[in-house]
Amino acid sequence: MSDKIPVTVLTGYLGAGKTTLLNRILSEPHGKKFAVVVNEFGEVGIDNDLVVGADEEVFEMNNGCICCTVRGDLIRIIDGLMKRKGQFDAIIVETTGLADPAPVAQTFFMDEDVSSKTRLDAVVTVVDAKWLTERLKDAPEAKNQVAFADVIILNKTDLVTAEELSAVEAQIRAINPYAKIHRTQRAGVDIAEVLGRNAFDLDRVLELEPAFLEESHHHHHDEDVQSVSFTIPGDVDPAKFMPWVNELVQQEGPNILRSKGILAFKGEPKRFVFQGVHMILDGDLTQDWKPGEKRQSKIVFIGRNLNREALNKAFLACAA
Amino acid sequence: MSVAPSQSLTEHVVAVEAGAHVIGAGWLGSKAAFALADGQLLLTNGSEHARVAAHPGGGILVAVNADKTIVTGGDDGRVVATAADGTTRECGKEPGRWIDALAIGRDGAIAWSAGKVVRALDGKGQLRSFTAPTTAQGLAFMPKGYRLAVAHYNGVTLWFPNTDAKPDVLAWKGSHLSVTVSPDGQYAVTAMQENALHGWRLSDRKDMRMSGYPSKTRSLSWSHDGNWLATSGAEAAIVWPFDKQGPMGRAPRECGVRPVRVARVAFHPRALVLASAYEDGTILLIRLTDASELLVQDATGSPITALAWNDTGRSLAFGDEAGNGGLFTLPS
């Protein structure tokens, strides 16, 4: 549907198993060629793929807004890679364990040259089943990585008991209930579950997340990074909703890590699907509501210090 | 609004099959040189072609040209100078890195950067190094003396490679992607990550901010008299006045307005005529004195990525993203 090169961002705290996953991706017989952006050479053994070193250089825009950061090295590398288009099928960006995923994700929305030639396929986060609980306490990066993820590889499950595994999964769900979780040992996951997810592709949000419009039953309030979701059992008025959501992300952008929504606009046969990173929103009308399907509107925010009651009230006020 | 070009010169173009994304173009005497993303250089006079494997197994990322040399930097970490006869000479090597920026100066001086490392090689073969505060994204030699302008995050550093003098920093917040210095050495201008140019009048270090572009500016070209700076990035070539006190408080000229963005600009080396090349492949010649336009190439659908006049200004070499090139010669 698009000739844009898909980009998978691979993140995860130090020692979680990122390099193991990357090695699996690169060594399995899938017939694809990758351009791999890594922090250090020598960690990955690659024969056929292009490997480029990254320096994780984050640029703040001149307005000083913390949301408007991009990764300068990625812009430069992708610009260079695009000159050799046709030599690879996809790009994988491995970030260091301490990297903030926000500037990475934002680069694919904010830099015009990058966004015109590539699309963010998914943010894949590898977490260590045994140590995630500790990291969530002492490492804000680890929490951000979970919050930003579209796919979570819950790795090293052989090192924990079944109870511990359930507990850590509940912690992940409390932060990010919408990521697809795979329980693995030695990052052993089907590559098709990691690559080509189109998790950022608005047309496929529902295909991949059929439960998106279903009510979530687990609410946790003990994390500073949390998710909140709200549903209107019918249509919303775009003339009310659009100004509200735009203003909300402008004001609360630093606190909102990720946002997603599927909305029924009054008089509109197609779904309106949006998603965003901090204050950057991207949305479009996608496929029709199916005949007999219940038209309803749902939004999700993952972030810090979100005022659930105020957000819910404001969203409900957008009902048509 | 502009009117359609009154005259077409398209029959004076000889097509050149470049075969890969054209990164840059230059002239080695009577031959045009096309630097290609597949690591090769194509040398041609329009009828005879030769290919030079300047970066075997790699790709060219940047190219600069002066006199009888075209210098290329690749993703193989090599800096290579190629002459008209196709002979190549490796000038520098940064193992495992990409060459991000290149500059060529008087007397055969060359500078390149890979990440934060900047190296300058003078005509006598003396190599000096400098570490920029962040990745050096743009380089330009000052026209007078042996001094290099280095564009990086939050400003430009002016470095004298042959002295131990402390580098001079021109600070301005934001990411500076490329730098150019006016022919009289009075102004340094950078293109930024944000859709704007920033400049400094070097005599009093006064800042200039030139904004309003709908996209990044990737191509900058000074007129032969140094009075004008043409820029890409808008639906017209934006041409700033640098005569008298500079562009402060003055509006730029907008030349060759079309519903497509300008991708490359190149001032004629001897006359106030600007070659303006667009993202749809169109190329116009625009005379600044009366804004008259001549069509060199009609839209092809592929963005022009390289544009270079020869020294006499008789011929213009151009190439695009899809690997098509051309040589245009002004009718006599």
Side-chain angles (χ1 to χ4, degrees):
Chain A
M1 53 156 273
S2 144
D3 59 358
K4 290 184 180 182
I5 303 277
V7 182
T8 303
V9 174
L10 192 54
T11 180
Y13 209 70
L14 305 167
K18 277 195 311 293
T19 305
T20 310
L21 177 63
L22 184 58
N23 275 325
R24 286 189 63 101
I25 293 171
L26 297 174
S27 58
E28 281 200 3
H30 41 59
K32 282 196 178 348
K33 281 188 76 174
F34 296 106
V36 188
V37 183
V38 294
N39 293 284
E40 283 171 41
F41 289 102
E43 285 186 27
V44 284
I46 300 151
D47 294 328
N48 292 313
D49 303 298
L50 272 164
V51 189
V52 192
D55 52 13
E56 307 216 334
E57 201 165 60
V58 174
F59 292 152
E60 220 172 79
M61 297 293 108
N62 228 337
N63 58 14
C65 169
I66 67 153
C67 304
C68 297
T69 50
V70 293
R71 282 263 304 261
D73 59 328
L74 283 183
I75 295 171
R76 208 164 53 245
I77 287 167
I78 287 170
D79 190 49
L81 286 175
M82 285 306 125
K83 291 169 181 164
R84 303 181 76 181
K85 221 162 37 181
Q87 295 187 21
F88 52 86
D89 304 295
I91 298 172
I92 300 172
V93 179
E94 183 194 17
T95 69
T96 60
L98 295 173
D100 179 358
V104 183
Q106 285 168 185
T107 304
F108 295 91
F109 293 95
M110 289 190 64
D111 186 83
E112 196 189 334
D113 296 335
V114 170
S115 67
S116 68
K117 296 195 163 142
T118 61
R119 61 176 177 79
L120 188 53
D121 187 67
V123 176
V124 178
T125 301
V126 186
V127 300
D128 182 327
K130 189 166 175 63
W131 294 108
L132 182 69
T133 308
E134 294 301 310
R135 293 295 82 77
L136 291 178
K137 285 180 201 154
D138 63 16
E141 300 90 351
K143 199 172 281 181
N144 278 356
Q145 289 165 357
V146 170
F148 268 90
D150 299 295
V151 177
I152 290 177
I153 309 297
L154 179 52
N155 197 30
K156 306 194 187 180
T157 56
D158 49 333
L159 303 183
V160 294
T161 64
E163 294 74 36
E164 287 171 324
L165 190 59
S166 300
V168 77
E169 194 163 318
Q171 281 183 304
I172 293 171
R173 282 277 167 250
I175 297 167
N176 183 341
Y178 302 100
K180 181 97 179 148
I181 299 179
H182 297 282
R183 296 179 174 192
T184 64
Q185 298 172 15
R186 284 167 293 281
V189 62
D190 186 350
I191 298 311
E193 300 289 349
V194 177
L195 300 177
R197 299 302 296 159
N198 275 324
F200 267 80
D201 188 328
L202 299 179
D203 288 335
R204 285 192 58 193
V205 166
L206 277 184
E207 198 178 315
L208 288 163
E209 300 175 50
F212 189 81
L213 286 176
E214 288 164 19
E215 198 51 57
S216 159
H217 299 292
H218 304 286
H219 292 299
H220 297 257
H221 304 277
D222 55 338
E223 298 282 348
D224 70 324
V225 175
Q226 53 166 327
S227 63
V228 293
S229 70
F230 312 104
T231 306
I232 289 173
D235 292 2
V236 300
D237 180 354
K240 292 178 189 163
F241 175 76
M242 296 305 285
W244 170 71
V245 75
N246 278 320
E247 200 183 321
L248 177 72
V249 296
Q250 291 305 314
Q251 285 173 358
E252 294 292 321
N255 287 330
I256 298 172
L257 303 180
R258 291 285 296 265
S259 54
K260 290 187 180 189
I262 299 173
L263 301 150
F265 280 163
K266 195 181 178 192
E268 173 57 58
K270 292 183 185 302
R271 306 162 188 278
F272 180 80
V273 179
F274 81 89
Q275 50 120 3
V277 176
H278 283 313
M279 62 168 59
I280 311 152
L281 281 183
D282 195 7
D284 213 347
L285 292 168
T286 63
Q287 71 264 50
D288 285 356
W289 291 95
K290 293 188 187 76
E293 187 179 20
K294 184 168 184 257
R295 287 173 64 102
Q296 55 174 338
S297 302
K298 182 167 180 173
I299 55 171
V300 173
F301 299 104
I302 298 172
R304 289 191 170 80
N305 307 319
L306 301 175
N307 186 331
R308 178 186 297 272
E309 281 76 43
L311 286 169
N312 193 25
K313 199 175 158 202
F315 180 54
L316 292 177
C318 299
Chain B
M1 280 302 294
S2 86
V3 290
S6 53
Q7 202 185 336
S8 170
L9 297 172
T10 52
E11 71 267 29
H12 299 281
V13 170
V14 175
V16 173
E17 186 80 27
H21 184 132
V22 182
I23 301 301
W27 288 85
L28 308 174
S30 60
K31 285 182 195 164
F34 294 87
L36 308 177
D38 65 3
Q40 298 192 90
L41 279 169
L42 172 64
L43 306 182
T44 178
N45 59 10
S47 52
E48 288 172 37
H49 312 290
R51 285 183 190 271
V52 178
H55 299 261
I60 295 173
L61 296 172
V62 276
V64 287
N65 162 242
D67 301 326
K68 302 241 171 359
T69 312
I70 184 160
V71 181
T72 50
D75 57 16
D76 56 357
R78 294 168 65 240
V79 179
V80 176
T82 303
D85 62 2
T87 54
T88 60
R89 180 169 56 87
E90 186 178 284
C91 308
K93 189 159 176 58
E94 306 292 341
R97 313 293 301 273
W98 285 12
I99 305 301
D100 294 317
L102 274 179
I104 195 160
R106 295 183 310 166
D107 309 324
I110 302 167
W112 66 87
S113 71
K116 294 176 189 173
V117 174
V118 182
R119 298 195 208 278
L121 184 67
D122 69 16
K124 300 186 193 82
Q126 186 89 249
L127 181 71
R128 299 292 179 120
S129 301
F130 161 74
T131 303
T134 66
T135 298
Q137 301 217 58
L139 300 173
F141 277 106
M142 310 285 281
K144 294 176 186 110
Y146 186 48
R147 196 180 195 191
L148 190 69
V150 181
H152 47 76
Y153 187 41
N154 290 340
V156 166
T157 298
L158 303 176
W159 173 48
F160 291 99
N162 278 350
T163 71
D164 293 324
K166 202 166 170 267
D168 193 11
V169 178
L170 301 165
W172 187 263
K173 277 198 169 191
S175 181
H176 302 263
L177 306 181
S178 65
V179 59
T180 181
V181 179
S182 62
D184 61 3
Q186 297 287 310
Y187 300 94
V189 179
T190 62
M192 300 191 68
Q193 166 70 25
E194 294 161 276
N195 300 337
L197 302 182
H198 192 80
W200 293 267
R201 187 161 64 200
L202 298 176
S203 56
D204 57 2
R205 301 171 74 100
K206 199 171 167 62
D207 285 296
M208 297 176 269
R209 186 157 172 76
M210 293 164 269
S211 58
Y213 290 88
S215 68
K216 281 187 237 178
T217 297
R218 290 307 187 92
S219 178
L220 302 117
S221 176
W222 293 96
S223 60
H224 67 291
D225 57 9
N227 287 342
W228 301 93
L229 176 66
T231 63
S232 68
E235 277 95 16
I238 305 298
V239 186
W240 296 91
F242 275 82
D243 55 334
K244 301 174 193 133
Q245 261 63 59
M248 289 86 148
R250 298 163 73 189
R253 295 272 300 271
E254 295 183 34
C255 298
V257 179
R258 295 187 62 241
V260 186
R261 283 182 195 159
V262 173
R264 285 289 180 283
V265 285
F267 257 116
H268 189 278
R270 296 180 181 195
L272 280 181
V273 169
L274 179 72
S276 180
Y278 297 78
E279 289 189 346
D280 65 353
T282 302
I283 302 172
L284 298 180
L285 294 188
I286 302 157
R287 192 159 58 196
L288 240 58
T289 47
D290 62 358
S292 64
E293 297 173 7
L294 299 171
L295 183 71
V296 172
Q297 175 168 277
D298 230 327
T300 59
S302 181
I304 300 293
T305 49
L307 197 61
W309 289 100
N310 71 349
D311 284 347
T312 62
R314 275 294 309 279
S315 298
L316 179 73
F318 58 88
D320 70 18
E321 206 174 282
N324 304 303
L327 295 179
F328 163 73
T329 304
L330 277 167
S332 43

